[in-house]
Amino acid sequence: MSAVLTTRLKRIERADELLSSLALVLMALIPALEILLRPLMGRGIENAPVLVQHLGLVLAMFGALAAERHGHLTTLAGGARVDGARPNAVLHAFANGVAALVCGMLAMASWRLVASEMEVSHVLAYGLPLWWVQASMPLGFALLGAKLGARCLPMPWGQLAAGLLCPLAGLLLAWQFDGSALTIWPGLLLLLAALLAGAPIFSALGGLALLLFWQDGMPLASVALSHYQITVNPSLPALPLFTLAGLVFARTGAAKRLGDLFVALFGQGVTGTVLAAAVLCSCFTAFTGGSGVTILALGGLLLPLLKQAGYPERRGIGLVTSASALGVLLAPSVPLIMYAIIARVPINTMFLAGLLPAAVMVGFLLIFGGYLKRGQAAEPRQQPSPAAARDRHQILAAAWNAKWEILAPFVAIGSLVSGLATPTESAALTALYAVLTQALAHRELSWRLLGQALSESAQIIGGVLLILGMALGLTNYLIDAGIPDAAIEAVQALIPNKFVFLLALTLFLLLAGALMEIFAAIVVLVPLLLPVALSYGIDAVHFGIIFLAAMEMGFLCPPAGMNIYFSSAMFGKPVRFVALAVLPALLAIFLGTLAIAWLPLLATGLPGLLLP
């Protein structure tokens, strides 16, 4: 009887994964059906774009619940526990308790937003009231608060009590004092202490946004409204769909096939293998949406190849770790799409703008990072002849094996840049293309692997959108308070020269990337820094490429440098070992970012040439 009850409880607990995965499946199918139905029947699915956008809200909330259950909510330390160390029990309880309190406040703020929609009662599609979907926000935040609160204590009765009382305290606090002007300093100190103790980043950002609105006596529903706005943004469904496509490729043999092709193209000696590793990692990161996934997918393949070619292990780890950060500038990178959404720049423009700078960054990494040096290389165990390495038949055979993976970028980028599909439709086509080719052509994608890819995509995007929603609430307050205008005046008075400003900007973004998760940095910093950059005559597209190139350094800097933690776990090396291995790459990426900053044509040339 007890075993049956436990099984049923586990199934109920996994409902968040099932709901978020179902939302993601529908987000892929509805745009594809739209493309088919419009020419055949003259009309498609009722209100399809808005329906897909609101499925993004369901995905965000229930994906975040799944992310919490699997320990994937990002903290200041990057959210990765790779050393097996157990957190201090008191600090752990304090951090989760404060996060649960904030979730309770967000649940009340979200309910106020839903209640206002109930009075208007808009219809989403096919008679479905809009507030039914919006209700996933207060429900999601309440459940998230309960789960975080339950982590405060180890005993079952303590978990139940803390899971109820912590979010309930936040809910009552928001209900009682919403609209009241209160001092925020005690709350600021509490949030800072909780963040340092290990609370999820979204709770600190959300708590800060709530406090700032509270200080001015403004309704707390403004924070919930910001979260709602970002999750139903028309371009946002592209993020989980491109992420799903990348994870499908990562979970099948696509990485091996692409690796064979790149090694065949560049040769199997030291130089050729290094070039193949750098280019392959960069391209793969553009699809996986997170460079940590690239390390997990390609690390076990590339490091043995590098060592077999006679490359030192330490430099090989440094190369794979740092090259996996460079795909941020390549389409269809999730941060590239996110910047386009926040800066209100066409996504196809950003896709083209990132091509040349991405190549420049790879070149700087290999040359100035010292990865092409051969002096320290050990004697290879098996050195193939140059003729065999570049054998035409070998290249053609590898290209034929990887033909479906080679066509994927053309499906993703070609359909969008050509104007044949919207960003959401392009992403849906790419996700379906990845699933069908890996399941039918290669027969490597089972139902179990597809379910894992759907669940992991939902968790990644759910955790990211929590951060984005809270960060947007904070940003909206800062914009309303006139902070960007004040920043323009202060910076121009301090730094009159454009090139000195670009140097200072690059250094600042290096620090920001080391301390902030990249998506939070995009949402918080872009609205503040973009007006300053525009005041110096810097194009918005050029600024975006500079911003993302500098953020690539953040992947390699503790405490938020996720690549270091993923690489440490993947290769079984201490974090300090990996951090020292990527130091040359940091300098190279910094110099590459400066080159892109001081040569704007690298970013604006292709869009200006190919787009009207």
Side-chain angles (χ1 to χ4, degrees), residues 23-228:
L24 185 51
V25 169
L26 292 175
M27 290 171 72
L29 291 178
I30 290 174
L33 289 173
E34 271 287 283
I35 295 173
L36 292 174
L37 292 176
R38 279 199 300 259
L40 292 176
M41 302 181 63
R43 62 186 179 89
I45 297 171
E46 181 185 335
N47 214 13
V50 180
L51 189 60
V52 171
Q53 292 163 33
H54 283 77
L55 284 169
L57 176 61
V58 176
L59 168 67
M61 296 313 304
F62 290 99
L65 288 169
E68 191 283 332
R69 182 156 49 82
H70 290 280
H72 293 161
L73 290 181
T74 306
T75 64
L76 192 63
R81 297 189 188 99
V82 296
D83 54 2
R86 297 182 64 183
N88 180 283
V90 176
L91 292 179
H92 182 69
F94 171 70
N96 284 300
V98 173
L101 183 78
V102 171
C103 285
M105 297 174 67
L106 291 169
M108 174 53 68
S110 302
W111 174 249
R112 293 276 167 86
L113 178 66
V114 173
S116 65
E117 173 58 35
M118 290 171 67
E119 296 176 1
V120 182
S121 191
H122 290 115
V123 174
L124 181 58
Y126 300 105
L128 177 68
L130 180 60
W131 71 266
W132 283 18
V133 181
Q134 289 180 338
S136 62
M137 289 174 60
L139 175 63
F141 281 122
L143 291 174
L144 190 57
K147 294 176 75 173
L148 287 166
R151 292 187 180 274
C152 293
L153 297 172
M155 307 79 69
W157 62 267
Q159 292 175 356
L160 179 62
L164 290 173
L165 293 177
C166 289
L168 182 60
L171 190 146
L172 293 174
L173 196 63
W175 175 71
Q176 182 66 34
F177 296 104
D178 192 2
S180 304
L182 300 177
T183 181
I184 65 171
W185 289 108
L188 282 177
L189 294 175
L190 185 70
L191 286 175
L192 179 60
L195 182 65
L196 295 175
I201 287 176
F202 89 87
S203 62
L205 290 172
L208 179 57
L210 290 168
L211 288 175
L212 290 172
F213 280 102
W214 214 339
Q215 174 184 246
D216 293 345
M218 300 171 67
L220 301 183
S222 300
V223 180
L225 178 61
S226 297
H227 183 66
Y228 174 67

Side-chain angles (χ1 to χ4, degrees), residues 81-395:
R81 297 189 188 99
V82 296
D83 54 2
R86 297 182 64 183
N88 180 283
V90 176
L91 292 179
H92 182 69
F94 171 70
N96 284 300
V98 173
L101 183 78
V102 171
C103 285
M105 297 174 67
L106 291 169
M108 174 53 68
S110 302
W111 174 249
R112 293 276 167 86
L113 178 66
V114 173
S116 65
E117 173 58 35
M118 290 171 67
E119 296 176 1
V120 182
S121 191
H122 290 115
V123 174
L124 181 58
Y126 300 105
L128 177 68
L130 180 60
W131 71 266
W132 283 18
V133 181
Q134 289 180 338
S136 62
M137 289 174 60
L139 175 63
F141 281 122
L143 291 174
L144 190 57
K147 294 176 75 173
L148 287 166
R151 292 187 180 274
C152 293
L153 297 172
M155 307 79 69
W157 62 267
Q159 292 175 356
L160 179 62
L164 290 173
L165 293 177
C166 289
L168 182 60
L171 190 146
L172 293 174
L173 196 63
W175 175 71
Q176 182 66 34
F177 296 104
D178 192 2
S180 304
L182 300 177
T183 181
I184 65 171
W185 289 108
L188 282 177
L189 294 175
L190 185 70
L191 286 175
L192 179 60
L195 182 65
L196 295 175
I201 287 176
F202 89 87
S203 62
L205 290 172
L208 179 57
L210 290 168
L211 288 175
L212 290 172
F213 280 102
W214 214 339
Q215 174 184 246
D216 293 345
M218 300 171 67
L220 301 183
S222 300
V223 180
L225 178 61
S226 297
H227 183 66
Y228 174 67
Q229 288 173 335
I230 194 70
T231 51
V232 299
N233 184 286
S235 299
L236 192 123
L239 302 185
L241 293 171
F242 278 130
T243 302
L244 174 62
L247 289 175
V248 167
F249 286 134
R251 287 189 172 275
T252 57
K256 176 67 167 60
R257 286 186 289 274
L258 287 172
D260 292 341
L261 173 61
F262 276 74
V263 171
L265 284 171
F266 291 104
Q268 297 177 350
V270 175
T271 303
T273 308
V274 167
L275 286 171
V279 176
L280 179 58
C281 285
S282 301
C283 295
F284 208 76
T285 292
F287 260 99
T288 57
S291 52
V293 178
T294 300
I295 293 172
L296 298 180
L298 295 177
L301 169 70
L302 292 177
L303 187 60
L305 285 176
L306 288 165
K307 291 168 67 176
Q308 182 179 336
Y311 207 64
E313 182 185 46
R314 180 171 179 151
R315 288 173 64 195
I317 291 174
L319 173 64
V320 173
T321 306
S322 53
S324 296
L326 299 185
V328 168
L329 293 174
L330 283 172
S333 152
V334 172
L336 198 64
I337 298 171
M338 198 68 244
Y339 174 82
I341 293 172
I342 298 300
R344 299 179 182 179
V345 176
I347 292 178
N348 56 352
T349 302
M350 292 303 300
F351 278 7
L352 288 173
L355 291 176
L356 286 178
V360 168
M361 295 297 277
V362 172
F364 268 77
L365 175 68
L366 293 174
I367 296 170
F368 293 95
Y371 291 108
L372 286 180
K373 290 181 181 177
R374 303 169 66 95
Q376 298 177 15
E379 192 67 30
R381 286 191 289 270
Q382 183 180 357
Q383 184 69 43
S385 66
R390 291 170 175 79
D391 182 76
R392 181 182 301 175
H393 296 292
Q394 183 182 358
I395 294 173

Side-chain angles (χ1 to χ4, degrees), residues 419-438:
L420 295 176
T422 66
T424 298
E425 290 171 347
S426 172
L429 287 174
T430 306
L432 291 173
Y433 176 86
V435 170
L436 292 175
T437 55
Q438 302 305 302

